[in-house]
Amino acid sequence: MTLMTAEFPQSRLRRTRQEAWCRDLVAETQLSVKDLILPLFVREKSAAREITAMPGVFRHSLEDVVSFCQKAYDLGIRAVALFPYTDPSLKCEEGREALNPDNLMCRATRLLKEALPHLGVIVDVALDPYTSHGHDGVLRRGEVANDETLEVLKEMALVLARAGVDVVAPSDMMDGRVGVIRRALDQEGYQNVRILAYSAKYASAFYGPFREALGSQSCLGKADKKTYQMDPANAREALREGAQDLLEGADMLMVKPGLPYLDIIYRLKEAFPLPIFAYQVSGEYSVLKAAAERGWIDYEKAVMETLLGFKRAGASAILSYAALDAAELLKKDSG
Ligand code: PBG
């Protein structure tokens, strides 16, 4: 592209940056509270518990999940993504609790859909909150078995659909999961349940605090998820993942983590006519919080800058643990 621009001194790029009103008029990207999805952790026991590595983020009990989401909804947040803290006694090799129609996710969904029918409810499809070994699928001969796992994920998606979730989000990275889930949902009459495919999900160090929140880190131990999650070195491979998910019936594609993968958001957006979602994951949030607690960065400004960065890269929506903080800041800004 040839840049059509005059030379200095006719052209002075600082001219449009002089006052706030002018900067606002020429801003290329807008961040709205309508773009934000709040991920939250649900636990059985009463009273919320703060997650050590994620200051300001709590595991909410079933009793307070509705009032917490009401607060988010009142601030304009459109959807929540729920994750369970499963009691260790309910975990097993096969992750059976994932198929229990009365598990935490199903009960939280029913409560939320009844109390806040206009708030979107998204739930992950993957076995890691439920397996004693912490992997996203079932193990056969020490390996995460793709095709056997698909059978379980299919049932899991149906259990969630029956409980009323609006969006299922396969985050397991098994090959073929989107197609299997789409067909199963359609056969049972859940044509309108959407699939948000974690298409480009990388084997990342930034999931650490999330695994603490779920209690899956201790199960996983020294093991990693590199045989199914993507290698951070690869970008073209993300296009194959995206293409496959599109052909299998995904409604939206997700890139995860966020900040180290803005190029992937941009590429997927260019390549596919599907909405691209970004997940600013737990470790990204913790990094911002920790630096701010030491007085090294301004948390509010840094959060807003990262969220705007996702929009600029091409994300339609952003999952972020800072969503509530951002919603409050956006409200203050417009008020
Ligand atoms: C599990 C899952 C993970 C996250 C979302 N779903 C972790 C993992 O794959 O180990 C990470 C989210 C975060 O770090 O905030 N399938």
Side-chain angles (χ1 to χ4, degrees), residues 41 54 83 124-129 134 136 171-172 198 201 206-211 214 216 220 225 228-229 256 279-283 321:
F41 301 103
M54 302 176 76
F83 296 95
D124 260 32
V125 177
L127 297 182
D128 56 316
D136 292 28
S171 67
D172 54 286
Y198 284 76
K201 176 170 178 180
F206 286 95
Y207 305 149
F210 174 97
R211 291 178 187 168
L214 239 61
S216 63
L220 201 59
K225 301 190 177 183
Y228 45 106
Q229 298 182 345
K256 175 184 175 199
Y279 198 148
Q280 181 171 48
V281 302
S282 55
Y321 300 93

PDB file of all heavy atoms in Angstrom, residues 41 54 83 124-129 134 136 171-172 198 201 206-211 214 216 220 225 228-229 256 279-283 321, ligand 1:
ATOM      1  N   PHE A  41     -15.658 -17.903  38.479  1.00  0.00           N
ATOM      2  CA  PHE A  41     -15.510 -19.226  39.075  1.00  0.00           C
ATOM      3  C   PHE A  41     -16.637 -19.469  40.071  1.00  0.00           C
ATOM      4  O   PHE A  41     -16.971 -18.596  40.869  1.00  0.00           O
ATOM      5  CB  PHE A  41     -14.164 -19.325  39.798  1.00  0.00           C
ATOM      6  CG  PHE A  41     -12.990 -19.073  38.878  1.00  0.00           C
ATOM      7  CD1 PHE A  41     -12.309 -17.864  38.896  1.00  0.00           C
ATOM      8  CD2 PHE A  41     -12.595 -20.052  37.968  1.00  0.00           C
ATOM      9  CE1 PHE A  41     -11.239 -17.627  38.034  1.00  0.00           C
ATOM     10  CE2 PHE A  41     -11.529 -19.826  37.103  1.00  0.00           C
ATOM     11  CZ  PHE A  41     -10.848 -18.610  37.136  1.00  0.00           C
ATOM     12  N   MET A  54      -4.909 -14.197  41.946  1.00  0.00           N
ATOM     13  CA  MET A  54      -5.744 -13.265  41.180  1.00  0.00           C
ATOM     14  C   MET A  54      -6.478 -12.315  42.116  1.00  0.00           C
ATOM     15  O   MET A  54      -7.681 -12.443  42.334  1.00  0.00           O
ATOM     16  CB  MET A  54      -6.757 -14.041  40.322  1.00  0.00           C
ATOM     17  CG  MET A  54      -6.129 -15.008  39.355  1.00  0.00           C
ATOM     18  SD  MET A  54      -7.358 -15.971  38.446  1.00  0.00           S
ATOM     19  CE  MET A  54      -7.921 -14.749  37.269  1.00  0.00           C
ATOM     20  N   PHE A  83     -16.934 -21.123  35.175  1.00  0.00           N
ATOM     21  CA  PHE A  83     -15.973 -22.221  35.375  1.00  0.00           C
ATOM     22  C   PHE A  83     -16.173 -22.789  36.775  1.00  0.00           C
ATOM     23  O   PHE A  83     -16.371 -22.035  37.731  1.00  0.00           O
ATOM     24  CB  PHE A  83     -14.535 -21.707  35.235  1.00  0.00           C
ATOM     25  CG  PHE A  83     -14.229 -21.192  33.858  1.00  0.00           C
ATOM     26  CD1 PHE A  83     -14.345 -19.826  33.574  1.00  0.00           C
ATOM     27  CD2 PHE A  83     -13.854 -22.059  32.845  1.00  0.00           C
ATOM     28  CE1 PHE A  83     -14.076 -19.345  32.288  1.00  0.00           C
ATOM     29  CE2 PHE A  83     -13.588 -21.584  31.566  1.00  0.00           C
ATOM     30  CZ  PHE A  83     -13.700 -20.229  31.288  1.00  0.00           C
ATOM     31  N   ASP A 124     -17.573 -23.683  29.227  1.00  0.00           N
ATOM     32  CA  ASP A 124     -16.542 -24.483  28.559  1.00  0.00           C
ATOM     33  C   ASP A 124     -16.958 -25.944  28.401  1.00  0.00           C
ATOM     34  O   ASP A 124     -17.621 -26.495  29.269  1.00  0.00           O
ATOM     35  CB  ASP A 124     -15.270 -24.499  29.430  1.00  0.00           C
ATOM     36  CG  ASP A 124     -14.226 -23.524  28.935  1.00  0.00           C
ATOM     37  OD1 ASP A 124     -14.611 -22.477  28.393  1.00  0.00           O
ATOM     38  OD2 ASP A 124     -13.020 -23.816  29.099  1.00  0.00           O
ATOM     39  N   VAL A 125     -16.518 -26.527  27.297  1.00  0.00           N
ATOM     40  CA  VAL A 125     -16.622 -27.977  27.156  1.00  0.00           C
ATOM     41  C   VAL A 125     -15.194 -28.519  27.146  1.00  0.00           C
ATOM     42  O   VAL A 125     -14.445 -28.287  26.191  1.00  0.00           O
ATOM     43  CB  VAL A 125     -17.362 -28.363  25.855  1.00  0.00           C
ATOM     44  CG1 VAL A 125     -17.393 -29.878  25.697  1.00  0.00           C
ATOM     45  CG2 VAL A 125     -18.785 -27.813  25.872  1.00  0.00           C
ATOM     46  N   ALA A 126     -14.813 -29.153  28.228  1.00  0.00           N
ATOM     47  CA  ALA A 126     -13.486 -29.754  28.402  1.00  0.00           C
ATOM     48  C   ALA A 126     -13.531 -30.462  29.746  1.00  0.00           C
ATOM     49  O   ALA A 126     -14.320 -30.084  30.620  1.00  0.00           O
ATOM     50  CB  ALA A 126     -12.377 -28.700  28.404  1.00  0.00           C
ATOM     51  N   LEU A 127     -12.692 -31.462  29.915  1.00  0.00           N
ATOM     52  CA  LEU A 127     -12.832 -32.285  31.121  1.00  0.00           C
ATOM     53  C   LEU A 127     -11.928 -31.889  32.283  1.00  0.00           C
ATOM     54  O   LEU A 127     -12.052 -32.434  33.382  1.00  0.00           O
ATOM     55  CB  LEU A 127     -12.579 -33.764  30.766  1.00  0.00           C
ATOM     56  CG  LEU A 127     -13.579 -34.376  29.768  1.00  0.00           C
ATOM     57  CD1 LEU A 127     -13.254 -35.852  29.538  1.00  0.00           C
ATOM     58  CD2 LEU A 127     -15.008 -34.232  30.273  1.00  0.00           C
ATOM     59  N   ASP A 128     -11.029 -30.939  32.072  1.00  0.00           N
ATOM     60  CA  ASP A 128     -10.027 -30.669  33.119  1.00  0.00           C
ATOM     61  C   ASP A 128     -10.568 -30.271  34.495  1.00  0.00           C
ATOM     62  O   ASP A 128      -9.918 -30.568  35.491  1.00  0.00           O
ATOM     63  CB  ASP A 128      -8.975 -29.664  32.625  1.00  0.00           C
ATOM     64  CG  ASP A 128      -9.576 -28.370  32.147  1.00  0.00           C
ATOM     65  OD1 ASP A 128     -10.596 -28.429  31.430  1.00  0.00           O
ATOM     66  OD2 ASP A 128      -9.061 -27.294  32.471  1.00  0.00           O
ATOM     67  N   PRO A 129     -11.748 -29.637  34.604  1.00  0.00           N
ATOM     68  CA  PRO A 129     -12.209 -29.367  35.970  1.00  0.00           C
ATOM     69  C   PRO A 129     -12.651 -30.634  36.700  1.00  0.00           C
ATOM     70  O   PRO A 129     -12.887 -30.609  37.899  1.00  0.00           O
ATOM     71  CB  PRO A 129     -13.431 -28.450  35.768  1.00  0.00           C
ATOM     72  CG  PRO A 129     -13.364 -27.982  34.360  1.00  0.00           C
ATOM     73  CD  PRO A 129     -12.658 -29.063  33.590  1.00  0.00           C
ATOM     74  N   GLY A 134      -6.158 -33.976  35.699  1.00  0.00           N
ATOM     75  CA  GLY A 134      -6.092 -32.575  35.270  1.00  0.00           C
ATOM     76  C   GLY A 134      -6.050 -32.344  33.768  1.00  0.00           C
ATOM     77  O   GLY A 134      -5.969 -31.195  33.320  1.00  0.00           O
ATOM     78  N   ASP A 136      -7.584 -32.366  29.805  1.00  0.00           N
ATOM     79  CA  ASP A 136      -8.870 -31.965  29.227  1.00  0.00           C
ATOM     80  C   ASP A 136      -9.643 -33.131  28.611  1.00  0.00           C
ATOM     81  O   ASP A 136     -10.771 -32.964  28.161  1.00  0.00           O
ATOM     82  CB  ASP A 136      -8.645 -30.904  28.139  1.00  0.00           C
ATOM     83  CG  ASP A 136      -8.158 -29.582  28.715  1.00  0.00           C
ATOM     84  OD1 ASP A 136      -7.508 -29.600  29.772  1.00  0.00           O
ATOM     85  OD2 ASP A 136      -8.426 -28.530  28.112  1.00  0.00           O
ATOM     86  N   SER A 171     -12.994 -26.053  24.792  1.00  0.00           N
ATOM     87  CA  SER A 171     -11.668 -25.493  25.067  1.00  0.00           C
ATOM     88  C   SER A 171     -10.644 -26.605  25.193  1.00  0.00           C
ATOM     89  O   SER A 171      -9.545 -26.411  25.678  1.00  0.00           O
ATOM     90  CB  SER A 171     -11.703 -24.679  26.360  1.00  0.00           C
ATOM     91  OG  SER A 171     -11.935 -25.527  27.458  1.00  0.00           O
ATOM     92  N   ASP A 172     -11.016 -27.787  24.735  1.00  0.00           N
ATOM     93  CA  ASP A 172     -10.228 -28.994  24.952  1.00  0.00           C
ATOM     94  C   ASP A 172      -9.145 -29.232  23.917  1.00  0.00           C
ATOM     95  O   ASP A 172      -8.209 -29.982  24.153  1.00  0.00           O
ATOM     96  CB  ASP A 172     -11.182 -30.178  24.900  1.00  0.00           C
ATOM     97  CG  ASP A 172     -11.969 -30.116  23.593  1.00  0.00           C
ATOM     98  OD1 ASP A 172     -12.878 -29.265  23.486  1.00  0.00           O
ATOM     99  OD2 ASP A 172     -11.636 -30.862  22.655  1.00  0.00           O
ATOM    100  N   TYR A 198     -12.677 -22.534  20.943  1.00  0.00           N
ATOM    101  CA  TYR A 198     -11.328 -22.099  21.274  1.00  0.00           C
ATOM    102  C   TYR A 198     -10.462 -22.672  20.153  1.00  0.00           C
ATOM    103  O   TYR A 198      -9.944 -23.782  20.260  1.00  0.00           O
ATOM    104  CB  TYR A 198     -10.870 -22.713  22.585  1.00  0.00           C
ATOM    105  CG  TYR A 198     -11.434 -22.145  23.878  1.00  0.00           C
ATOM    106  CD1 TYR A 198     -12.727 -22.443  24.302  1.00  0.00           C
ATOM    107  CD2 TYR A 198     -10.631 -21.353  24.705  1.00  0.00           C
ATOM    108  CE1 TYR A 198     -13.199 -21.974  25.514  1.00  0.00           C
ATOM    109  CE2 TYR A 198     -11.109 -20.879  25.935  1.00  0.00           C
ATOM    110  CZ  TYR A 198     -12.390 -21.193  26.330  1.00  0.00           C
ATOM    111  OH  TYR A 198     -12.854 -20.736  27.533  1.00  0.00           O
ATOM    112  N   LYS A 201      -5.842 -22.128  20.690  1.00  0.00           N
ATOM    113  CA  LYS A 201      -5.553 -22.139  22.120  1.00  0.00           C
ATOM    114  C   LYS A 201      -4.154 -22.694  22.300  1.00  0.00           C
ATOM    115  O   LYS A 201      -3.871 -23.841  21.937  1.00  0.00           O
ATOM    116  CB  LYS A 201      -6.569 -22.999  22.860  1.00  0.00           C
ATOM    117  CG  LYS A 201      -6.256 -23.120  24.330  1.00  0.00           C
ATOM    118  CD  LYS A 201      -7.367 -23.743  25.096  1.00  0.00           C
ATOM    119  CE  LYS A 201      -6.995 -23.889  26.553  1.00  0.00           C
ATOM    120  NZ  LYS A 201      -8.058 -24.502  27.332  1.00  0.00           N
ATOM    121  N   PHE A 206       0.596 -18.774  30.905  1.00  0.00           N
ATOM    122  CA  PHE A 206      -0.298 -17.773  31.489  1.00  0.00           C
ATOM    123  C   PHE A 206      -1.591 -18.356  32.070  1.00  0.00           C
ATOM    124  O   PHE A 206      -2.439 -17.614  32.531  1.00  0.00           O
ATOM    125  CB  PHE A 206      -0.626 -16.695  30.451  1.00  0.00           C
ATOM    126  CG  PHE A 206       0.523 -15.756  30.190  1.00  0.00           C
ATOM    127  CD1 PHE A 206       1.400 -15.979  29.130  1.00  0.00           C
ATOM    128  CD2 PHE A 206       0.749 -14.658  31.003  1.00  0.00           C
ATOM    129  CE1 PHE A 206       2.465 -15.121  28.885  1.00  0.00           C
ATOM    130  CE2 PHE A 206       1.810 -13.803  30.770  1.00  0.00           C
ATOM    131  CZ  PHE A 206       2.676 -14.031  29.714  1.00  0.00           C
ATOM    132  N   TYR A 207      -1.769 -19.679  32.004  1.00  0.00           N
ATOM    133  CA  TYR A 207      -2.970 -20.287  32.595  1.00  0.00           C
ATOM    134  C   TYR A 207      -2.776 -20.658  34.065  1.00  0.00           C
ATOM    135  O   TYR A 207      -3.707 -21.165  34.694  1.00  0.00           O
ATOM    136  CB  TYR A 207      -3.373 -21.574  31.851  1.00  0.00           C
ATOM    137  CG  TYR A 207      -3.581 -21.437  30.352  1.00  0.00           C
ATOM    138  CD1 TYR A 207      -3.314 -22.503  29.494  1.00  0.00           C
ATOM    139  CD2 TYR A 207      -4.059 -20.255  29.806  1.00  0.00           C
ATOM    140  CE1 TYR A 207      -3.508 -22.394  28.125  1.00  0.00           C
ATOM    141  CE2 TYR A 207      -4.248 -20.136  28.436  1.00  0.00           C
ATOM    142  CZ  TYR A 207      -3.960 -21.210  27.601  1.00  0.00           C
ATOM    143  OH  TYR A 207      -4.150 -21.096  26.255  1.00  0.00           O
ATOM    144  N   GLY A 208      -1.582 -20.430  34.594  1.00  0.00           N
ATOM    145  CA  GLY A 208      -1.275 -20.876  35.959  1.00  0.00           C
ATOM    146  C   GLY A 208      -2.307 -20.497  37.004  1.00  0.00           C
ATOM    147  O   GLY A 208      -2.839 -21.368  37.708  1.00  0.00           O
ATOM    148  N   PRO A 209      -2.635 -19.213  37.147  1.00  0.00           N
ATOM    149  CA  PRO A 209      -3.587 -18.830  38.189  1.00  0.00           C
ATOM    150  C   PRO A 209      -4.979 -19.453  38.001  1.00  0.00           C
ATOM    151  O   PRO A 209      -5.647 -19.793  38.971  1.00  0.00           O
ATOM    152  CB  PRO A 209      -3.657 -17.301  38.045  1.00  0.00           C
ATOM    153  CG  PRO A 209      -2.364 -16.920  37.403  1.00  0.00           C
ATOM    154  CD  PRO A 209      -2.037 -18.049  36.467  1.00  0.00           C
ATOM    155  N   PHE A 210      -5.394 -19.637  36.756  1.00  0.00           N
ATOM    156  CA  PHE A 210      -6.678 -20.295  36.477  1.00  0.00           C
ATOM    157  C   PHE A 210      -6.674 -21.719  37.013  1.00  0.00           C
ATOM    158  O   PHE A 210      -7.637 -22.185  37.613  1.00  0.00           O
ATOM    159  CB  PHE A 210      -6.922 -20.304  34.963  1.00  0.00           C
ATOM    160  CG  PHE A 210      -8.134 -21.075  34.493  1.00  0.00           C
ATOM    161  CD1 PHE A 210      -9.332 -20.422  34.244  1.00  0.00           C
ATOM    162  CD2 PHE A 210      -8.069 -22.444  34.259  1.00  0.00           C
ATOM    163  CE1 PHE A 210     -10.448 -21.132  33.788  1.00  0.00           C
ATOM    164  CE2 PHE A 210      -9.169 -23.157  33.803  1.00  0.00           C
ATOM    165  CZ  PHE A 210     -10.358 -22.492  33.565  1.00  0.00           C
ATOM    166  N   ARG A 211      -5.570 -22.410  36.785  1.00  0.00           N
ATOM    167  CA  ARG A 211      -5.507 -23.807  37.248  1.00  0.00           C
ATOM    168  C   ARG A 211      -5.517 -23.866  38.774  1.00  0.00           C
ATOM    169  O   ARG A 211      -6.029 -24.804  39.351  1.00  0.00           O
ATOM    170  CB  ARG A 211      -4.277 -24.496  36.646  1.00  0.00           C
ATOM    171  CG  ARG A 211      -4.431 -24.688  35.138  1.00  0.00           C
ATOM    172  CD  ARG A 211      -3.212 -25.331  34.500  1.00  0.00           C
ATOM    173  NE  ARG A 211      -3.328 -25.345  33.042  1.00  0.00           N
ATOM    174  CZ  ARG A 211      -2.338 -25.631  32.217  1.00  0.00           C
ATOM    175  NH1 ARG A 211      -1.151 -25.936  32.698  1.00  0.00           N
ATOM    176  NH2 ARG A 211      -2.526 -25.621  30.913  1.00  0.00           N
ATOM    177  N   LEU A 214      -9.194 -23.421  39.754  1.00  0.00           N
ATOM    178  CA  LEU A 214      -9.986 -24.619  39.492  1.00  0.00           C
ATOM    179  C   LEU A 214      -9.565 -25.791  40.352  1.00  0.00           C
ATOM    180  O   LEU A 214     -10.285 -26.770  40.487  1.00  0.00           O
ATOM    181  CB  LEU A 214      -9.776 -25.020  38.017  1.00  0.00           C
ATOM    182  CG  LEU A 214     -10.986 -25.082  37.107  1.00  0.00           C
ATOM    183  CD1 LEU A 214     -11.633 -23.712  37.031  1.00  0.00           C
ATOM    184  CD2 LEU A 214     -10.578 -25.522  35.704  1.00  0.00           C
ATOM    185  N   SER A 216      -7.005 -27.543  39.438  1.00  0.00           N
ATOM    186  CA  SER A 216      -6.546 -28.572  38.494  1.00  0.00           C
ATOM    187  C   SER A 216      -5.021 -28.635  38.401  1.00  0.00           C
ATOM    188  O   SER A 216      -4.462 -29.588  37.886  1.00  0.00           O
ATOM    189  CB  SER A 216      -7.145 -28.347  37.103  1.00  0.00           C
ATOM    190  OG  SER A 216      -6.719 -27.116  36.565  1.00  0.00           O
ATOM    191  N   LEU A 220      -2.630 -31.889  37.755  1.00  0.00           N
ATOM    192  CA  LEU A 220      -1.781 -31.970  36.564  1.00  0.00           C
ATOM    193  C   LEU A 220      -0.317 -32.210  36.949  1.00  0.00           C
ATOM    194  O   LEU A 220       0.426 -32.871  36.218  1.00  0.00           O
ATOM    195  CB  LEU A 220      -1.926 -30.666  35.773  1.00  0.00           C
ATOM    196  CG  LEU A 220      -1.555 -30.670  34.303  1.00  0.00           C
ATOM    197  CD1 LEU A 220      -2.379 -31.686  33.522  1.00  0.00           C
ATOM    198  CD2 LEU A 220      -1.790 -29.265  33.712  1.00  0.00           C
ATOM    199  N   LYS A 225       0.181 -29.730  28.571  1.00  0.00           N
ATOM    200  CA  LYS A 225      -0.889 -30.019  27.612  1.00  0.00           C
ATOM    201  C   LYS A 225      -0.418 -29.851  26.170  1.00  0.00           C
ATOM    202  O   LYS A 225      -1.201 -29.572  25.268  1.00  0.00           O
ATOM    203  CB  LYS A 225      -2.085 -29.106  27.913  1.00  0.00           C
ATOM    204  CG  LYS A 225      -2.639 -29.265  29.321  1.00  0.00           C
ATOM    205  CD  LYS A 225      -3.959 -28.526  29.513  1.00  0.00           C
ATOM    206  CE  LYS A 225      -4.519 -28.765  30.912  1.00  0.00           C
ATOM    207  NZ  LYS A 225      -5.837 -28.116  31.106  1.00  0.00           N
ATOM    208  N   TYR A 228      -1.924 -31.465  22.905  1.00  0.00           N
ATOM    209  CA  TYR A 228      -3.179 -31.020  22.273  1.00  0.00           C
ATOM    210  C   TYR A 228      -3.296 -29.503  22.121  1.00  0.00           C
ATOM    211  O   TYR A 228      -3.893 -29.036  21.157  1.00  0.00           O
ATOM    212  CB  TYR A 228      -4.416 -31.628  22.937  1.00  0.00           C
ATOM    213  CG  TYR A 228      -4.458 -31.645  24.462  1.00  0.00           C
ATOM    214  CD1 TYR A 228      -5.282 -30.761  25.159  1.00  0.00           C
ATOM    215  CD2 TYR A 228      -3.714 -32.563  25.203  1.00  0.00           C
ATOM    216  CE1 TYR A 228      -5.361 -30.793  26.540  1.00  0.00           C
ATOM    217  CE2 TYR A 228      -3.784 -32.600  26.593  1.00  0.00           C
ATOM    218  CZ  TYR A 228      -4.601 -31.714  27.253  1.00  0.00           C
ATOM    219  OH  TYR A 228      -4.671 -31.741  28.622  1.00  0.00           O
ATOM    220  N   GLN A 229      -2.714 -28.727  23.024  1.00  0.00           N
ATOM    221  CA  GLN A 229      -2.758 -27.274  22.828  1.00  0.00           C
ATOM    222  C   GLN A 229      -1.635 -26.848  21.875  1.00  0.00           C
ATOM    223  O   GLN A 229      -0.637 -27.540  21.735  1.00  0.00           O
ATOM    224  CB  GLN A 229      -2.634 -26.571  24.179  1.00  0.00           C
ATOM    225  CG  GLN A 229      -3.796 -26.933  25.105  1.00  0.00           C
ATOM    226  CD  GLN A 229      -3.759 -26.232  26.443  1.00  0.00           C
ATOM    227  OE1 GLN A 229      -2.744 -25.661  26.837  1.00  0.00           O
ATOM    228  NE2 GLN A 229      -4.866 -26.288  27.162  1.00  0.00           N
ATOM    229  N   LYS A 256      -6.517 -17.506  22.358  1.00  0.00           N
ATOM    230  CA  LYS A 256      -6.219 -17.570  23.784  1.00  0.00           C
ATOM    231  C   LYS A 256      -4.810 -18.086  24.016  1.00  0.00           C
ATOM    232  O   LYS A 256      -4.466 -19.084  23.380  1.00  0.00           O
ATOM    233  CB  LYS A 256      -7.233 -18.515  24.412  1.00  0.00           C
ATOM    234  CG  LYS A 256      -7.028 -18.811  25.860  1.00  0.00           C
ATOM    235  CD  LYS A 256      -8.032 -19.813  26.265  1.00  0.00           C
ATOM    236  CE  LYS A 256      -7.723 -20.183  27.693  1.00  0.00           C
ATOM    237  NZ  LYS A 256      -8.294 -21.404  28.080  1.00  0.00           N
ATOM    238  N   TYR A 279      -9.355 -14.000  24.576  1.00  0.00           N
ATOM    239  CA  TYR A 279      -9.399 -14.335  26.008  1.00  0.00           C
ATOM    240  C   TYR A 279      -8.139 -13.783  26.671  1.00  0.00           C
ATOM    241  O   TYR A 279      -7.049 -14.282  26.444  1.00  0.00           O
ATOM    242  CB  TYR A 279      -9.468 -15.851  26.183  1.00  0.00           C
ATOM    243  CG  TYR A 279      -9.938 -16.347  27.542  1.00  0.00           C
ATOM    244  CD1 TYR A 279     -10.662 -17.528  27.644  1.00  0.00           C
ATOM    245  CD2 TYR A 279      -9.673 -15.653  28.720  1.00  0.00           C
ATOM    246  CE1 TYR A 279     -11.093 -18.009  28.887  1.00  0.00           C
ATOM    247  CE2 TYR A 279     -10.105 -16.121  29.940  1.00  0.00           C
ATOM    248  CZ  TYR A 279     -10.815 -17.310  30.023  1.00  0.00           C
ATOM    249  OH  TYR A 279     -11.241 -17.782  31.250  1.00  0.00           O
ATOM    250  N   GLN A 280      -8.356 -12.730  27.450  1.00  0.00           N
ATOM    251  CA  GLN A 280      -7.255 -12.215  28.276  1.00  0.00           C
ATOM    252  C   GLN A 280      -7.218 -13.113  29.509  1.00  0.00           C
ATOM    253  O   GLN A 280      -8.068 -12.993  30.392  1.00  0.00           O
ATOM    254  CB  GLN A 280      -7.543 -10.764  28.674  1.00  0.00           C
ATOM    255  CG  GLN A 280      -6.451 -10.142  29.513  1.00  0.00           C
ATOM    256  CD  GLN A 280      -6.666  -8.647  29.715  1.00  0.00           C
ATOM    257  OE1 GLN A 280      -7.762  -8.205  30.057  1.00  0.00           O
ATOM    258  NE2 GLN A 280      -5.636  -7.862  29.508  1.00  0.00           N
ATOM    259  N   VAL A 281      -6.265 -14.031  29.551  1.00  0.00           N
ATOM    260  CA  VAL A 281      -6.344 -15.126  30.521  1.00  0.00           C
ATOM    261  C   VAL A 281      -5.838 -14.729  31.905  1.00  0.00           C
ATOM    262  O   VAL A 281      -5.324 -13.619  32.119  1.00  0.00           O
ATOM    263  CB  VAL A 281      -5.617 -16.394  30.015  1.00  0.00           C
ATOM    264  CG1 VAL A 281      -6.199 -16.868  28.697  1.00  0.00           C
ATOM    265  CG2 VAL A 281      -4.116 -16.149  29.917  1.00  0.00           C
ATOM    266  N   SER A 282      -5.964 -15.688  32.816  1.00  0.00           N
ATOM    267  CA  SER A 282      -5.685 -15.432  34.222  1.00  0.00           C
ATOM    268  C   SER A 282      -4.305 -14.822  34.461  1.00  0.00           C
ATOM    269  O   SER A 282      -4.173 -13.831  35.179  1.00  0.00           O
ATOM    270  CB  SER A 282      -5.828 -16.735  35.010  1.00  0.00           C
ATOM    271  OG  SER A 282      -4.995 -17.746  34.461  1.00  0.00           O
ATOM    272  N   GLY A 283      -3.276 -15.391  33.856  1.00  0.00           N
ATOM    273  CA  GLY A 283      -1.913 -14.904  34.090  1.00  0.00           C
ATOM    274  C   GLY A 283      -1.712 -13.480  33.583  1.00  0.00           C
ATOM    275  O   GLY A 283      -0.929 -12.710  34.155  1.00  0.00           O
ATOM    276  N   TYR A 321     -10.904 -11.031  33.113  1.00  0.00           N
ATOM    277  CA  TYR A 321     -11.194 -10.975  34.549  1.00  0.00           C
ATOM    278  C   TYR A 321     -11.287  -9.535  35.023  1.00  0.00           C
ATOM    279  O   TYR A 321     -11.742  -9.269  36.126  1.00  0.00           O
ATOM    280  CB  TYR A 321     -10.123 -11.738  35.333  1.00  0.00           C
ATOM    281  CG  TYR A 321     -10.079 -13.191  34.918  1.00  0.00           C
ATOM    282  CD1 TYR A 321      -9.205 -13.633  33.927  1.00  0.00           C
ATOM    283  CD2 TYR A 321     -10.973 -14.104  35.458  1.00  0.00           C
ATOM    284  CE1 TYR A 321      -9.200 -14.954  33.503  1.00  0.00           C
ATOM    285  CE2 TYR A 321     -10.981 -15.427  35.044  1.00  0.00           C
ATOM    286  CZ  TYR A 321     -10.091 -15.842  34.058  1.00  0.00           C
ATOM    287  OH  TYR A 321     -10.103 -17.142  33.629  1.00  0.00           O
TER     288      TYR A 321
HETATM  289  C1  PBG B   1      -9.453 -25.530  30.330  1.00  0.00           C
HETATM  290  C2  PBG B   1      -9.288 -24.070  30.283  1.00  0.00           C
HETATM  291  C3  PBG B   1      -8.146 -23.361  30.665  1.00  0.00           C
HETATM  292  C4  PBG B   1      -8.468 -22.020  30.598  1.00  0.00           C
HETATM  293  C5  PBG B   1      -9.795 -21.921  30.154  1.00  0.00           C
HETATM  294  N1  PBG B   1     -10.291 -23.216  29.946  1.00  0.00           N
HETATM  295  C6  PBG B   1      -6.829 -23.819  31.173  1.00  0.00           C
HETATM  296  C7  PBG B   1      -6.078 -24.862  30.545  1.00  0.00           C
HETATM  297  O1  PBG B   1      -6.240 -25.170  29.362  1.00  0.00           O
HETATM  298  O2  PBG B   1      -5.273 -25.441  31.259  1.00  0.00           O
HETATM  299  C8  PBG B   1      -7.529 -20.932  30.977  1.00  0.00           C
HETATM  300  C9  PBG B   1      -8.134 -19.649  31.313  1.00  0.00           C
HETATM  301  C10 PBG B   1      -7.278 -18.719  32.073  1.00  0.00           C
HETATM  302  O3  PBG B   1      -6.075 -18.944  32.307  1.00  0.00           O
HETATM  303  O4  PBG B   1      -7.827 -17.691  32.453  1.00  0.00           O
HETATM  304  N2  PBG B   1      -9.774 -26.239  29.247  1.00  0.00           N
END
